[in-house]
């Protein structure tokens, strides 16, 4: 006959737990309506209290909260950069002067930030891919050098890299009278000058060029069987005519260094050179790690299959591996671009007039530190959201193209 | 003979695997040798390292008055003991990290002896002793290891109390960098945990608030957050009330890094199998017990490598407090260079700072990698 099984302590506690779970305790559900309302009320109350506190504090200190400083004249110079100026109903870019408003000063800073960020994004991506591939090289020296590079960059503060590049690098270059020249590039204490192209031809040329471009685009758009003069051949033909009749459309413009200044070419100030160098080289190390991870995430069988098809390692990398790695890479790359753009705010340490630096001057001059920093934060938020948005769109396109 | 064959095979595979590799090696080997030679010659012959020895006090402790210097040493020893205890709760004394840390501390003591004489070397040795003692104690009493957060909280409070007669305005150098890193790490953790749970909450209003905070903070530069904290605090307080710059600066760090910690914690929470939640619920655990006794410990354990990486990130960004006029390790170096007497020693000072940051940063990221390895997170 089956004995009645005495409940062991363990079983008793399980029973109790089951009972507790089944009995409907009268409890206040936090995720219910009351809890919701309470949390919402607390949040709103907290936000309102913060705003009121700051307002009270401002009043106590006798400081008004107003954005009117934006339309007042800045009264200070910015070492480099252009701003937006209204001419009648139009807007145009013009160098910043002390008579411009504080808003125009901030726009100048924003443009300076954008230029550095854009250049650094391109440079760091190219360099980062190279180093990321080099990290996986079959050559020990190349592998170790790129490893050392990545480690040194990632384990030291960006600020010291920036200061070192600027104070111990760019500013230690020879003076302009003994500037280093290499392939048309001039480097000296006064920054770097690059050759540029200047438009030197007649307007007719530009019409012809536009026509050629249009023809080429229409070809690309339709890819249909079209008569002569439509398509790349046609575009080339038109361009050829142009060269024959009017000469080259653009002329290279080489910088020439005299004793105190550089004429011609594109001139990059020492501050901008230092900032671009530091940020690009820093970001390249992080991108290299992203690229390396992505390449390693591609299945090993892909390498083996490429080898079996007779592709050399270099070919396999270009044709088989990298296109697959790109899909893995894009989201992290987007994050890296956002952080690179945020890092341009370190320009203040070497006196590059980026957005944050210009804000600092505006805040000093107008005393409107709080309003200004809210504005600056909002702008950075906008930039970050913009970059992630663009990356997301690109990501969706690449992923949908490669979807299996 | 076998060794020779293996050796030549290794050389062939690593240097002359293909024609391209061989060409690269022939180009890169002499270049590498030349660069190493140049660097060694500069470090050993050309560079005038006396600037570091003369200013070591400023580099390590800022402008703390000589009369109060003992306090700085005590605080440094306490910090090192707590670092030792933290590492000791993660690794045993047989571990590589132990040997690496000891080697670095011995190197520092030797350098201190060369540059600044016996008293500095004694201080460095004392600090090394504190480090080793912390490690050994944590290994001996696991209860200390479990309460390591509390140890840091009490220890940092005590260190700040010991240092405070010197005046926070004088705190500086490496000591300040380490202090800010430690305090910001410790305080951003609870705030980050709260934010992470808020972001996962079932309540839309709370979720929205936490998500907006995290995403907003993550998309603006740290430097602007520090500046913001610095500006806003005096506005909220009465005109005659003053909060020290250092406190406001650290507040900025905490607010900023809490958002990043929140994302790590959220990732950790997401990695926990659903069965854990269901099991806890079927045992009748309430929401709070579920979150803090079941989910959080597992999440934290999974993200320790990421959190160690976060420490490195904070340490590398501490130099940004120059923006509110504080003298951290890097700024101390710049201050030295501002002195006309030393303005010619730019390369030496930057090289020293670079090397010091690199050694500390490498140790932190090495620890992160070891932790990851020890937990088997990295191996699947």
């Amino acid at each position: 006959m089956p004995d009645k099984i005495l409940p062991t302590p363990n079983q008793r506690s399980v029973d109790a737990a089951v009972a507790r779970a089944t009995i409907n305790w009268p409890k206040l559900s936090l995720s219910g309506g009351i809890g919701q309302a309470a949390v919402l009320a607390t949040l709103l109350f907290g936000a309102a209290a913060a705003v009121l506190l700051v307002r009270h504090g401002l009043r106590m200190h006798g400081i008004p909260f107003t954005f009117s400083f934006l339309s007042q004249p800045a009264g200070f110079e910015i070492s480099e950069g252009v701003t937006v100026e209204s001419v009648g109903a139009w807007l145009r870019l013009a160098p910043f002067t002390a008579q411009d408003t504080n808003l125009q000063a901030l726009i100048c800073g924003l443009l300076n930030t954008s230029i550095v960020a854009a250049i650094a994004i391109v440079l760091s991506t190219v360099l980062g891919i190279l180093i990321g591939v080099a990290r996986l090289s079959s050559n020990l020296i190349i592998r170790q050098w790129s490893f050392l590079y990545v480690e040194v960059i990632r384990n030291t503060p960006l600020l010291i890299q920036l200061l070192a590049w600027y104070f111990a690098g760019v500013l230690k270059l020879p003076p302009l009278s003994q500037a280093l020249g290499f392939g048309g590039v001039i480097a000296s204490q006064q920054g770097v000058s690059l050759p540029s192209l200047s438009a030197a031809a007649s307007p007719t040329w530009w019409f012809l060029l536009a026509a050629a471009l249009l023809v080429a685009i229409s070809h690309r758009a339709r890819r249909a069987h079209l008569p002569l003069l439509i398509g790349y051949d046609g575009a080339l033909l038109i361009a050829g005519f142009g060269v024959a009749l009017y000469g080259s459309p653009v002329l290279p413009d080489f910088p020439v260094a005299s004793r105190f200044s550089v004429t011609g070419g594109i001139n990059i100030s020492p501050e901008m050179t230092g900032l671009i160098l530091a940020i690009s080289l820093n970001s390249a190390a992080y991108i290299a790690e992203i690229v390396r991870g992505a390449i390693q995430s591609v299945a090993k069988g892909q390498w083996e299959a490429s080898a079996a098809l007779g592709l050399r390692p270099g070919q396999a990398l270009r044709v088989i591996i990298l296109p697959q790695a790109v899909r893995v890479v894009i989201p992290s790359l987007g994050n890296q671009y956002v952080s690179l753009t945020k890092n341009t705010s370190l320009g203040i340490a070497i006196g590059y007039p980026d957005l944050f630096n210009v804000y600092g001057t505006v805040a000093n001059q107008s005393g409107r530190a709080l309003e200004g920093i809210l504005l600056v934060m909002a702008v950075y938020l906008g930039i970050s959201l913009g970059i992630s948005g663009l990356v997301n769109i690109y990501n969706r396109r690449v992923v949908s193209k490669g979807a299996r | 003979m076998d060794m020779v064959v293996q050796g030549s095979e290794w050389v062939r595979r690593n240097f002359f695997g293909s024609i391209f590799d061989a060409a690269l090696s022939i180009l890169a080997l002499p270049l590498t040798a030349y660069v190493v030679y140049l660097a060694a010659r500069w470090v050993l012959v050309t560079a005038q390292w006396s600037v570091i020895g003369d200013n070591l006090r400023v580099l390590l402790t800022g402008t703390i008055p000589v009369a109060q210097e003992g306090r700085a040493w005590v605080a440094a020893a306490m910090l090192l003991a707590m670092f030792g205890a933290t590492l000791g709760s993660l690794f045993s004394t047989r571990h590589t990290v132990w040997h690496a840390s000891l080697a670095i501390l011995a190197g520092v003591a030797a350098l201190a002896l060369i540059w600044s004489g016996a008293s500095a070397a004694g201080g460095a040795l004392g600090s090394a002793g504190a480090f080793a003692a912390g490690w050994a104690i944590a290994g001996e009493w696991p209860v200390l290891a479990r309460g390591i957060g509390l140890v840091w909280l009490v220890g940092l409070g005590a260190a700040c109390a010991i240092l405070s007669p010197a005046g926070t305005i004088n705190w500086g150098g490496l000591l300040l960098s380490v202090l800010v890193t430690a305090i910001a790490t410790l305080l951003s953790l609870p705030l980050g945990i709260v934010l992470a749970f808020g972001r996962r909450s079932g309540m839309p209003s709370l979720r929205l608030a936490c998500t907006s905070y995290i995403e907003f903070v993550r998309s603006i530069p740290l430097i602007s957050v520090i500046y913001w904290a610095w500006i806003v605090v005096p506005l909220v307080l009465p005109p005659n009330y003053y909060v020290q710059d250092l406190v406001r600066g650290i507040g900025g760090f905490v607010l900023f890094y809490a958002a990043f910690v929140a994302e790590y914690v959220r990732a950790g929470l997401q990695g926990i199998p659903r069965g854990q939640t269901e099991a806890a619920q079927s045992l009748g655990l309430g929401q709070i017990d579920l979150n803090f006794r079941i989910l959080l410990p597992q999440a934290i354990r999974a993200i320790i490598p990421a959190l160690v990486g976060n420490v490195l990130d904070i340490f590398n960004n501490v130099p940004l407090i120059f923006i509110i006029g504080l003298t951290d390790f890097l700024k101390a170096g710049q201050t030295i260079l501002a002195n006309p007497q030393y303005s010619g020693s730019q390369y030496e000072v930057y090289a020293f700072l670079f090397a010091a940051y690199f050694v500390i940063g490498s140790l932190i990221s090495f620890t992160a990698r070891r932790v990851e390895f020890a937990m088997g997170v990295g191996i699947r």
Side-chain angles (χ1 to χ4, degrees), chain A residues 19-99:
Chain A
R20 221 182 305 153
T22 45
I23 292 171
N24 228 342
W25 293 99
K27 62 175 177 182
L28 189 91
S29 164
L30 254 183
S31 45
I34 303 169
Q36 266 288 3
V39 167
L40 193 64
T42 315
L43 286 173
L44 286 178
F45 178 76
V51 170
L52 285 176
L53 258 174
V54 172
R55 241 185 64 182
H56 175 70
L58 285 168
R59 202 172 304 145
M60 218 161 38
H61 293 262
I63 310 169
F65 184 85
T66 161
F67 282 95
S68 62
F69 71 101
L70 288 176
S71 55
Q72 288 159 3
F76 59 87
E77 301 283 345
I78 296 179
S79 59
E80 60 183 296
V82 292
T83 187
V84 176
E85 208 176 63
S86 67
V87 184
W90 294 81
L91 292 176
R92 70 160 186 217
L93 294 176
F96 180 82
T97 61
Q99 286 84 41

Side-chain angles (χ1 to χ4, degrees), chain A residues 119-160:
Chain A
I119 296 175
I121 281 177
V122 174
L123 288 181
S124 65
T125 306
V126 173
L127 194 62
I129 292 173
L130 284 179
I131 297 170
V133 172
R135 282 276 270 123
L136 300 168
S137 163
S138 51
N139 189 310
L140 184 82
I141 309 168
I142 305 295
R143 208 161 59 220
Q144 291 303 323
W145 268 119
S146 40
F147 174 69
L148 184 69
Y149 175 81
V150 170
E151 286 297 298
V152 166
I153 295 284
R154 294 191 348 147
N155 287 339
T156 53
L158 170 58
L159 188 58
I160 190 177

Side-chain angles (χ1 to χ4, degrees), chain B residues 50-74:
Chain B
S50 62
V51 59
I52 305 299
D54 295 350
N55 297 291
L56 203 58
R57 220 168 62 78
V58 174
L59 283 169
L60 292 183
T61 60
T63 50
I64 291 180
V66 182
Q68 315 267 20
E69 212 186 27
R71 295 176 179 277
W73 279 117
V74 172

Side-chain angles (χ1 to χ4, degrees), chain A residues 151-152 154-157 159-161, chain B residues 173-174 177-178 181 312 314-320 328-332 350-364:
Chain A
E151 286 297 298
V152 166
R154 294 191 348 147
N155 287 339
T156 53
L159 188 58
I160 190 177
Q161 294 168 23
Chain B
L174 186 58
S177 295
V178 173
T181 308
L312 175 62
I314 298 179
F315 184 69
N316 277 345
N317 278 320
V318 168
L320 296 192
D328 77 308
F329 191 34
L330 178 52
K331 186 73 187 169
Y350 278 123
F352 172 76
L353 291 175
F354 231 110
Y357 271 115
F358 181 57
V359 168
I360 298 171
S362 301
L363 196 62
I364 298 176

Side-chain angles (χ1 to χ4, degrees), chain A residues 36 40 57 61 138-141 143 145 151 154-155 157 160 168 172 342 345-346 359 369-370 377 381 384, chain B residues 14-15 21 25 29 32 204-205 218-221 227 231 234-235 237 316 320 346-347 353 357 362 365 369:
Chain A
Q36 266 288 3
L40 193 64
H61 293 262
S138 51
N139 189 310
L140 184 82
I141 309 168
R143 208 161 59 220
W145 268 119
E151 286 297 298
R154 294 191 348 147
N155 287 339
I160 190 177
K172 292 279 169 132
K342 282 159 47 179
S345 58
L346 295 196
Y359 153 72
L370 182 62
M377 281 174 159
L381 179 67
S384 299
Chain B
N14 280 301
F15 294 100
D21 270 355
S25 297
L29 269 174
T32 305
S205 53
R218 273 159 44 93
S219 58
I220 54 178
Y227 207 73
I231 291 173
L235 288 180
L237 296 170
N316 277 345
L320 296 192
Q346 230 163 21
Y347 288 124
L353 291 175
Y357 271 115
S362 301
S365 55
R369 235 175 283 153

